[in-house]
Amino acid sequence: MKLTKSHALLALMPISFVVSLPQNTERAVAVAPPQGLPPLNDIIANAKSRPGGACCAALSYVLGPKVGYPLSVSYIGTSASFWSQQEQSVTPNCVVQPLTTQDVSAAIFVLSVLSNQTRFSNECKFAVKGGGHTPQRGAANQAAGVTIDLAAFKQVKVSPDRKTTSIGPGSRWGDIYPQLDAQNLAISGGRVAPVGVGGLVTGGGVSFFSGRYGLVCDNVLNYELVLPYGKVINVNASTPDLFKALKGGSNNFGVVTRFDMRTFDSGKFWGGFVVYPLSTMPQQVAAFVGLAGAQPYDPYAALIHSYAYTTGSWSIANNYEYTRVPAQPYPPTFKPFTDIKPQLLNTMRVSGLTDFTVEIAATSPAGKRQLFITLTHGLSGPLITEIYRAADTALQPIKLALGLTYSISFQPLPTEITTKASNTNSLGLDASDGNLVLVLLGIQWTLATDDAAITSAANGWLVAAKAAAAKAGLSNEYVYLNYAASGQDPITGYGAANKANLRSVSKKYDPDQIFQKAVPGAFKL
């Protein structure tokens, strides 16, 4: 482990700090401190009058201007960069903006040591922000604690053999794709340009290319990971337990500072949106079931089938991508959809990956209050219809909320996708599940005073949708983490064996459970 200025702090701590560290944690107690460095307990004592108290003061000592306080430019910039109003409204005591992996190591070291002390445990709680697209409050922003903003980690480096691309967790997919488009390359990544890399990849991830390459997490070849107490390691097939855990394990094991992703030749392909009136729903559902249940499934096809409520009425908005290169416009796979008339809007075209992800992003702009909630069920046309009807029922009490947009999306999750790497990720999906449907209810609105009613409506929809799936004998326990609401439990949805394995790996690499106790955001084990 490379020793940094932060590790020297151990040599300066009062004995109570040192003896409380776990005996099996690597640490550098014998490193001589830099000349003139004040003891950590002096830093804490002198920090009482500063915003954020001891923890932020210790971080400022180690990282200097990379730590920002309220009203600073860096702090305001981090707050404004979150997608949802809920996350923008969270007020950490300070924000850390590391520039290097060594900076992250130093920050995690200080936070691990201090959060493990009872007197500092509350103010040293922290969150890690990549793109900041998860909507719920506190997912990647820590009130009255510390937020580590990885915005500077935007590296995009293609290997000389063009088979691997190294990307930073602070990148958004819209930062990465233009650089790959220019080289006629692609990686399996997000479908919405402003979505962040870190959260999507560690939560599983669905891609336009999932039919060919599986879920996004299945395409990671190596993670550079900062463990509790700051140790930096590479995680890959040579460390299979942690490698599997990171594929779906979210923020429970450390801070990823680099993803090395499988890369493949690509180019321009056919895609876009077609909008239809709600009256075409019977044809739409039949087309969905035909595509999602096809044997064999067409691996080049990607579909998001959505029902959108705007300006007082429902419409159907389908996003189609067909990733075969050279481009194949209007392929037979999508003919049952594209033959449906009338079409109120049609943007189908041949274009690049960047363009299509920017188009989808335009349907969900930043700065509003946001809610996601999800479920997964077996493939059935009548069940899709029933779940849409439950969404319409849940809408009625809230449809006059200011700024409301409301949609329910259905996405095929066939065995062609789920079995690509089912033994090497933690998601618990395999061939025995059959062809599945991934469902997302997404709501945007303006006023915080509508939060309670909208959350209640969403939860009511989920209860009704799950009941409909159970009645049809098509329930599935999988909960897609990147769409999950704060009251859902995606880790349990991976199944008892996977959850037990995740907990075992956590205790092995994080014996003090720093990332369970000191990182409360998102979904814990």
Side-chain angles (χ1 to χ4, degrees):
M1 179 174 69
K2 182 177 179 179
L3 302 179
T4 68
K5 183 180 179 181
S6 66
H7 299 115
L9 291 174
L10 271 175
L12 301 169
M13 292 176 185
I15 189 65
S16 61
F17 279 80
V18 175
V19 297
S20 66
L21 288 172
Q23 294 302 307
N24 57 349
T25 299
E26 182 173 336
R27 55 201 186 274
V29 295
V31 175
Q35 187 174 4
L37 187 67
L40 182 58
N41 54 339
D42 286 354
I43 297 172
I44 295 168
N46 292 328
K48 299 302 183 183
S49 62
R50 292 188 58 182
C55 196
C56 288
L59 289 165
S60 293
Y61 172 76
V62 173
L63 295 169
K66 296 167 189 172
V67 179
Y69 291 87
L71 304 182
S72 69
V73 172
S74 61
Y75 185 103
I76 292 169
T78 291
S79 295
S81 67
F82 285 96
W83 181 56
S84 73
Q85 267 189 27
Q86 292 99 314
E87 280 284 69
Q88 290 176 4
S89 67
V90 173
T91 53
N93 289 334
C94 61
V95 168
V96 180
Q97 294 184 336
L99 301 180
T100 66
T101 299
Q102 288 70 33
D103 290 342
V104 177
S105 174
I108 295 300
F109 176 83
V110 171
L111 289 163
S112 297
V113 170
L114 295 184
S115 68
N116 209 28
Q117 301 299 309
T118 302
R119 56 178 168 151
F120 302 125
S121 58
N122 287 329
E123 68 178 81
C124 288
K125 285 184 167 59
F126 64 100
V128 182
K129 173 186 176 291
H133 200 268
T134 301
Q136 55 261 34
R137 178 181 172 88
N141 203 9
Q142 182 56 50
V146 177
T147 295
I148 301 174
D149 183 358
L150 300 175
F153 286 71
K154 293 186 182 297
Q155 66 266 37
V156 181
K157 184 177 181 180
V158 179
S159 65
D161 64 3
R162 294 165 55 94
K163 293 182 179 180
T164 305
T165 301
S166 297
I167 59 177
S171 295
R172 301 168 191 262
W173 297 104
D175 301 323
I176 295 167
Y177 292 149
Q179 300 183 57
L180 297 179
D181 279 347
Q183 301 178 64
N184 289 320
L185 295 172
I187 58 178
S188 186
R191 298 165 296 175
V192 183
V195 166
V197 166
L200 183 120
V201 179
T202 57
V206 181
S207 164
F208 294 143
F209 305 102
S210 287
R212 292 155 60 192
Y213 299 107
L215 297 171
V216 176
C217 67
D218 298 329
N219 290 269
V220 182
L221 303 175
N222 180 75
Y223 304 82
E224 181 182 79
L225 181 71
V226 180
L227 290 169
Y229 295 99
K231 184 178 181 180
V232 181
I233 63 172
N234 283 291
V235 182
N236 47 51
S238 66
T239 48
D241 56 351
L242 188 52
F243 194 45
K244 180 176 181 178
L246 288 173
K247 296 184 176 187
S250 191
N251 68 352
N252 285 295
F253 300 95
V255 179
V256 178
T257 49
R258 192 187 74 240
F259 298 89
D260 298 330
M261 306 289 297
R262 179 182 294 111
T263 304
F264 47 89
D265 292 333
S266 188
K268 292 185 176 181
F269 54 87
W270 178 81
F273 271 101
V274 181
V275 178
Y276 309 83
L278 183 63
S279 59
T280 65
M281 183 176 180
Q283 298 158 271
Q284 302 277 352
V285 171
F288 183 98
V289 172
L291 183 150
Q295 294 295 330
Y297 181 84
D298 188 335
Y300 293 95
L303 167 66
I304 306 174
H305 171 59
S306 299
Y307 298 79
Y309 181 87
T310 56
T311 62
S313 63
W314 287 97
S315 60
I316 298 173
N318 290 340
N319 180 253
Y320 310 119
E321 262 75 33
Y322 199 72
T323 61
R324 183 186 291 273
V325 176
Q328 184 179 349
Y330 292 92
T333 296
F334 283 115
K335 184 174 171 53
F337 285 103
T338 55
D339 280 353
I340 297 173
K341 300 292 188 295
Q343 296 179 1
L344 307 178
L345 174 71
N346 185 323
T347 72
M348 302 309 300
R349 63 207 183 275
V350 173
S351 192
L353 181 56
T354 304
D355 182 32
F356 293 127
T357 62
V358 169
E359 180 180 48
I360 294 178
T363 65
S364 54
K368 298 185 72 174
R369 305 188 75 75
Q370 312 275 359
L371 183 147
F372 285 172
I373 194 166
T374 186
L375 84 154
T376 307
H377 63 74
L379 180 61
S380 160
L383 181 55
I384 290 171
T385 302
E386 189 68 20
I387 288 174
Y388 156 75
R389 288 174 178 160
D392 183 54
T393 298
L395 166 69
Q396 299 311 311
I398 61 170
K399 64 183 179 180
L400 297 181
L402 185 65
L404 184 79
T405 59
Y406 185 96
S407 67
I408 181 168
S409 298
F410 299 86
Q411 301 171 53
L413 200 60
T415 56
E416 185 74 18
I417 293 175
T418 59
T419 58
K420 283 287 190 292
S422 57
N423 293 326
T424 56
N425 67 42
S426 296
L427 304 176
L429 296 167
D430 58 39
S432 67
D433 293 300
N435 295 320
L436 298 174
V437 179
L438 178 61
V439 189
L440 167 66
L441 182 69
I443 311 177
Q444 299 180 321
W445 68 102
T446 302
L447 301 177
T449 51
D450 290 321
D451 287 4
I454 287 170
T455 301
S456 176
N459 289 334
W461 166 80
L462 184 62
V463 169
K466 291 173 74 172
K471 183 177 180 181
L474 293 169
S475 297
N476 190 279
E477 64 181 1
Y478 176 68
V479 176
Y480 179 43
L481 187 145
N482 293 332
Y483 288 169
S486 56
Q488 296 189 274
D489 185 2
I491 303 296
T492 296
Y494 295 169
N498 278 300
K499 183 172 183 177
N501 183 66
L502 289 169
R503 285 178 165 172
S504 175
V505 173
S506 171
K507 289 175 182 176
K508 176 180 176 181
Y509 291 92
D510 183 9
D512 277 359
Q513 296 291 275
I514 300 297
F515 277 79
Q516 300 306 302
K517 300 173 184 177
V519 187
F523 301 100
K524 301 290 96 179
L525 304 180

